[in-house]
Amino acid sequence: MAETFELTGEIAHDQGATMPQMNPEFVSEQLIWLVLTFTFLYVMMSRVALPRISAALEERQDKIADDLDKAAEFKREAEEALAGYEQSLAGARARAHTIISTSREKVKAETDDMRTQSEAKLAEHMESAEARIRETRDTAMTHVSDVASQTTAVLFEKLTGQRVDAAAAKAAVDAAFSQN
Amino acid sequence: MHQFEIMPIIPIQIGNIDASFTNSSLWMVIAIGLITLFTTVSMRGRALVPGRMQSLAEMSYEFVANMVRDNVGSEGMRYFPLVFTIFMFVLFSNMLGMIPGSFTVTSHIVITFAMAFIIFLGVTVIGFMTHGLGFLRFFVPSGIPKALVPLLVVIEVISYMTRPVSLSVRLFANMLAGHTMLKVFAGFVVMMGLWGVIPLVFMVALTGLELLVAFLQAYVFAILTCIYLNDAIHMH
């Protein structure tokens, strides 16, 4: 309750007195200190604080612009690398194609070569074999005529008891062969 | 009212002039000390990615810089440090006045009128320096009948002359009214006993409102300075 009394007392006092704002007693004090503090603040702001802040802001702006430039540069480099990679990939693919086709041709040529060689060899073998067969047959044929003339001579001797000349028997056999 | 009373702390006398260090001076010194700390210490690291205080300092810089640029244009950036100082001084004085038991420097018409009058004088000088005597055309509205010119010139001159009054009274009256209202409600809280809870709730809301007013009046003071500067530099 003490506070209530004090407060009402103060209100009564306020009504009686003028507002402190209208009191001419403290004008010079306020003005002098306003000039002093305001001037000090102005000097501090314009000489120290504001240049510092604007420098920091500018620095950040520069840094951001710089980073953006760098990012664009990196992007360009990445794109270049990608283009290079794609180019080399295409080159490698083309080279692989040529390697495949040349090796295929080479293999084909080799197999063709081998085939013709082996065919030639085979033909040669066949020919020589045929020649051998013909020779064997010929010799066999001559032997057949010898055996026939000898047989003829022996048969003639057995049947007639007369000996016959070997050459005559041979001539007769040859004649008989040639008649057939 | 006790809260607006000025009390000398250290009596200083220079010749015939009383320059005592009063509670008003104390809170001015506290305000400029805090502003200086706020704008310099927070920027000490000058970090690329700002911390909390640095962000605040940079935000206030850009807030005022944009205000000057939008209202006066790039020519007005010469006066940016002045507008910044005015804004911060008024803002911190208003805000510090919200601390219970403190003193609100800007609740005295002597202070606000001195600032408004200096701004008025400075702006007028800038006007004459930029346009020479052509600045007088500022008081002659264009596109009106010849007969009305004398009347309108009188009106324009009067409205120009009342600028420092309206500028200073607006700030002073807002601070005075806000604090008085808080005091009246505080009186109700004490007088109404248990029912004092109701005005107490109002007081909480009013304190929030007063914080807004403290910021808003600093903003209005600074932006009107910008508008006056713009008139002086660009006429209309």
Side-chain angles (χ1 to χ4, degrees), chain B residues 77-98:
Chain B
M77 288 313 277
R78 277 175 59 196
Y79 307 106
F80 165 64
L82 183 67
V83 177
F84 186 81
T85 312
I86 290 170
F87 175 71
M88 292 307 262
F89 187 79
V90 175
L91 178 68
F92 272 67
S93 299
N94 293 354
M95 285 295 181
L96 287 172
M98 291 304 295

Side-chain angles (χ1 to χ4, degrees), chain A residues 22-176:
Chain A
M22 296 305 155
N23 187 353
E25 201 183 330
F26 294 109
V27 172
S28 62
E29 288 93 328
Q30 289 192 75
L31 289 182
I32 284 167
W33 283 97
L34 174 67
V35 169
L36 281 179
T37 51
F38 194 87
T39 311
F40 174 81
L41 187 64
Y42 180 74
V43 171
M44 279 308 281
M45 292 299 109
S46 57
R47 294 266 179 280
V48 185
L50 295 179
R52 211 183 270 187
I53 297 176
S54 77
L57 289 175
E58 232 161 73
E59 217 169 273
R60 180 164 323 125
Q61 207 57 46
D62 287 354
K63 171 81 176 143
I64 288 170
D66 214 42
D67 284 359
L68 280 179
D69 283 355
K70 237 181 250 170
E73 175 77 8
F74 283 145
K75 186 166 177 259
R76 209 177 47 73
E77 269 172 29
E79 272 165 3
E80 258 171 32
L82 185 68
Y85 161 76
E86 265 165 6
Q87 203 181 338
S88 64
L89 190 69
R93 205 169 274 149
R95 225 168 29 246
H97 267 296
T98 55
I99 287 169
I100 289 170
S101 60
T102 51
S103 57
R104 189 185 287 143
E105 271 164 26
K106 211 161 84 187
V107 168
K108 192 162 171 274
E110 269 171 20
T111 47
D112 281 355
D113 202 30
M114 264 152 73
R115 198 174 55 233
T116 48
Q117 267 179 20
S118 55
E119 271 173 4
K121 222 179 263 170
L122 219 61
E124 207 175 286
H125 277 302
M126 223 131 88
E127 223 164 86
S128 65
E130 268 170 15
R132 235 179 11 254
I133 289 166
R134 216 176 300 125
E135 203 180 313
T136 318
R137 201 187 56 202
D138 286 354
T139 48
M141 285 305 276
T142 51
H143 288 168
V144 165
S145 78
D146 282 354
V147 170
S149 56
Q150 276 169 18
T151 313
T152 308
V154 173
L155 277 174
F156 191 78
E157 200 184 328
K158 284 283 185 201
L159 286 174
T160 58
Q162 271 182 288
R163 281 191 67 104
V164 92
D165 188 31
K170 190 171 165 49
V173 167
D174 282 346

Side-chain angles (χ1 to χ4, degrees), chain B residues 184-220:
Chain B
V184 168
F185 270 83
F188 286 161
V189 173
V190 179
M191 283 193 283
M192 288 169 76
L194 209 59
W195 290 105
V197 174
I198 300 162
L200 186 66
V201 170
F202 268 96
M203 267 189 76
V204 172
L206 278 178
T207 306
L209 180 73
E210 281 311 307
L211 284 172
L212 176 73
V213 168
F215 171 77
L216 208 64
Q217 287 306 319
Y219 175 67
V220 167

Side-chain angles (χ1 to χ4, degrees), chain A residues 10 14 21 28-29 54 60, chain B residues 1 18 48 58 107 183:
Chain A
E10 203 185 317
D14 282 350
Q21 280 85 353
S28 62
E29 288 93 328
S54 77
R60 180 164 323 125
Chain B
M1 278 185 275
D18 192 355
L48 211 55
E58 285 173 7
S107 70
K183 177 142 185 175

